[in-house]
Amino acid sequence: MKVSELTQGLNIEYLPKLPKNKSIGIGIVGAGAIVEACHLPAYKKAGLNVVGIYDTQPDKAASLSKQFELERVFKSLDELLNHPEIKVVDIAIPAKYQPDVVERVAAAGKHLLCQKPLGESFEEAKRVSNAVALSGVKGAVNQQMRWSPGIRASHFIAKNGWLGEITQASIQVNVLTEWEQWPWITKINRLEVMYHSIHYLDSIRSVLGVAPEYIYADGAKFPGQTSIGESRTMIHMKFPGETRGLIHDNHNNFAEQDDWYATFRFEGTEGIIKGTNGALYNYPYGREDTIQYLSKKIDPVRWFSPRLEGKWFPDAFMGTMGELLLAIEEDREPENSVQDNLDTIRMVFASYLSMEENRPVRLDEFK
Ligand SMILES: NC(=O)c1ccc[n+]([C@@H]2O[C@H](COP(=O)([O-])OP(=O)(O)OC[C@H]3O[C@@H](n4cnc5c(N)ncnc54)[C@H](O)[C@@H]3O)[C@@H](O)[C@H]2O)c1
């Protein structure tokens, strides 16, 4: 990039990228809340070709098909897999059902986008990655926060070297989350990291471009909470060299929204980024992410505050599917490949093992 462009400091590439050919047929498995709120709105915005949808509860598939004017409602997974126009299957069902479905989709030779978490255990996640590797299809994971505007902009800044050697990555969140709106989530004993901070683990790894060596984590509940899993977590990450990471996340903030925060900060020898994750402000509507950064490599050294367009929900869902479609078009592995996601899953299970055994856990304990 030329110095004249650098001095503007505002030319940040962060918007999701889409393939040249948007007509590739997509079939969706699962017609639940996240498909309605994010997958279908994002694909519509991106102009992608969703051929049809299948759910074990046919009325849910029919209802979304009507709402989003889809061509087909499939009666079975086989019927969806046999449709000649469908080349990519978007799987959006609870994690415990995912490995079985992935094995069938991969065996049918269709490319696939999995939901996060990839599996409820490391073994299940490996089952998914093995199925994808054996079949030779392209498999990606819908770990879309890395395409949220603030995190993707941070990724661009870090990748351009404007932070120098990165020393610290922090995500700190203090909000109120009403887990009761998802009754099943209140009944599982691994909650916050598995279903929420998993996004922060993946985002930090994406900006840093490397996985941590070990993780030291603690999780706690809030007295009287109805969910059986942890709702407050602190995760310390040791990356190679002098780089460290921190996630501090509390979902029990009973004060007014003015007191809530959801911030990220990346620091290095040459620069600093600080920003907010707009999706967690102004609940339930959200607002746009904010970002500010300075770099000793951009003269004069000052804070730049580029305005970011879009939100984590639903825009970042164009990023995950867009990257899979681009990878198919360019015949390469997607950045968010199933194989790559195994490191995020290692971070999740290392966090839980660390909580259980009260010790730092190396990622390579999960083979
Ligand atoms: N930000 C995110 O990335 C994000 C947010 C929310 C949920 N999720 C994930 O998305 C998945 C779905 O979440 P949700 O909130 O939409 O759940 P949901 O309960 O609203 O919907 C799940 C749907 O999957 C269907 N289903 C279950 N097994 C199936 C199968 N074998 N074949 C076809 N359909 C099947 C169910 O009938 C249901 O309609 C979960 O894995 C969840 O963790 C991700």
Side-chain angles (χ1 to χ4, degrees):
M1 193 171 275
K2 285 190 224 126
V3 174
S4 58
E5 288 170 326
L6 277 181
T7 51
Q8 290 177 27
L10 301 171
N11 300 318
I12 308 281
E13 284 172 28
Y14 65 94
L15 293 171
K17 292 198 169 74
L18 295 165
K20 286 191 203 85
N21 174 14
K22 293 187 186 174
S23 69
I24 184 165
I26 299 169
I28 300 184
V29 178
I34 195 66
V35 169
E36 179 177 14
C38 293
H39 293 236
L40 284 167
Y43 302 164
K44 191 172 179 183
K45 191 167 174 180
L48 301 179
N49 176 21
V50 179
V51 176
I53 189 162
Y54 162 66
D55 194 295
T56 43
Q57 300 182 65
D59 52 325
K60 292 179 80 173
S63 160
L64 286 196
S65 165
K66 194 169 167 209
Q67 189 181 335
F68 289 91
E69 298 171 337
L70 307 182
E71 208 180 285
R72 295 286 306 263
V73 177
F74 296 104
K75 291 192 190 69
S76 68
L77 180 59
D78 281 338
E79 196 188 9
L80 181 151
L81 294 176
N82 286 330
H83 194 287
E85 208 188 330
I86 292 180
K87 304 283 184 236
V88 174
V89 179
D90 182 10
I91 304 167
I93 60 178
K96 64 179 165 187
Y97 306 120
Q98 185 154 263
D100 284 348
V101 172
V102 167
E103 284 176 351
R104 289 174 62 188
V105 172
K110 309 280 179 179
H111 305 295
L112 53 99
L113 182 67
C114 298
Q115 255 298 357
K116 45 61 56 178
L118 197 53
E120 283 190 326
S121 65
F122 187 66
E123 290 65 37
E124 298 238 300
K126 283 287 289 267
R127 228 182 108 192
V128 168
S129 79
N130 288 341
V132 169
L134 269 174
S135 65
V137 298
K138 298 204 190 296
V141 185
N142 201 343
Q143 200 83 63
Q144 76 301 117
M145 191 190 175
R146 48 166 88 182
W147 274 277
S148 66
I151 295 297
R152 201 63 184 172
S154 301
H155 175 268
F156 178 87
I157 291 165
K159 214 172 164 192
N160 273 279
W162 296 350
L163 297 182
E165 181 187 334
I166 301 180
T167 52
Q168 181 70 37
S170 311
I171 294 187
Q172 306 209 45
V173 172
N174 203 321
V175 297
L176 181 67
T177 302
E178 286 167 1
W179 302 110
E180 294 73 19
Q181 61 188 302
W182 306 282
W184 61 273
I185 225 172
T186 62
K187 299 183 184 74
I188 50 174
N189 57 9
R190 291 179 160 182
L191 200 181
E192 204 285 321
V193 181
M194 185 83 105
Y195 286 94
H196 190 90
S197 280
I198 186 172
H199 286 296
Y200 305 146
L201 293 168
D202 187 70
S203 294
I204 286 179
R205 190 169 70 75
S206 140
V207 173
L208 267 50
V210 63
E213 290 166 348
Y214 71 72
I215 281 189
Y216 196 16
D218 191 12
K221 296 178 198 169
F222 190 77
Q225 72 175 50
T226 45
S227 303
I228 64 170
E230 82 286 358
S231 61
R232 297 154 55 210
T233 44
M234 280 184 277
I235 305 175
H236 171 85
M237 288 158 263
K238 156 90 172 60
F239 288 87
E242 297 304 318
T243 310
R244 301 291 181 272
L246 170 80
I247 293 170
H248 180 197
D249 202 349
N250 172 38
H251 291 265
N252 306 282
N253 188 342
F254 51 80
E256 285 158 5
Q257 283 207 34
D258 284 359
D259 188 56
W260 296 13
Y261 57 82
T263 62
F264 57 87
R265 188 175 172 101
F266 299 98
E267 296 170 37
T269 52
E270 304 288 319
I272 300 169
I273 301 171
K274 55 183 177 183
T276 60
N277 172 4
L280 300 191
Y281 291 81
N282 189 29
Y283 185 82
Y285 309 105
R287 67 176 202 204
E288 290 182 331
D289 290 2
T290 62
I291 193 168
Q292 288 179 284
Y293 72 95
L294 64 74
S295 173
K296 291 185 205 168
K297 294 191 172 177
I298 305 175
D299 188 32
V301 179
R302 67 168 180 91
W303 288 102
F304 291 97
S305 308
R307 179 144 186 238
L308 301 176
E309 276 173 39
K311 293 181 192 151
W312 177 5
F313 307 118
D315 302 74
F317 287 68
M318 289 190 272
T320 35
M321 180 56 91
E323 171 61 9
L324 173 61
L325 297 178
L326 268 171
I328 295 167
E329 193 167 84
E330 294 167 4
D331 195 17
R332 59 168 174 79
E333 274 302 283
E335 176 193 314
N336 52 337
S337 71
V338 164
Q339 190 61 33
D340 171 83
N341 195 260
L342 286 181
D343 271 341
T344 297
I345 282 292
R346 284 188 177 95
M347 292 166 85
V348 169
F349 291 114
S351 299
Y352 283 114
L353 191 57
S354 175
M355 289 180 202
E356 282 156 23
E357 299 188 354
N358 190 22
R359 67 172 175 93
V361 174
R362 291 189 58 86
L363 259 58
D364 57 19
E365 292 186 36
F366 297 88
K367 305 271 186 223

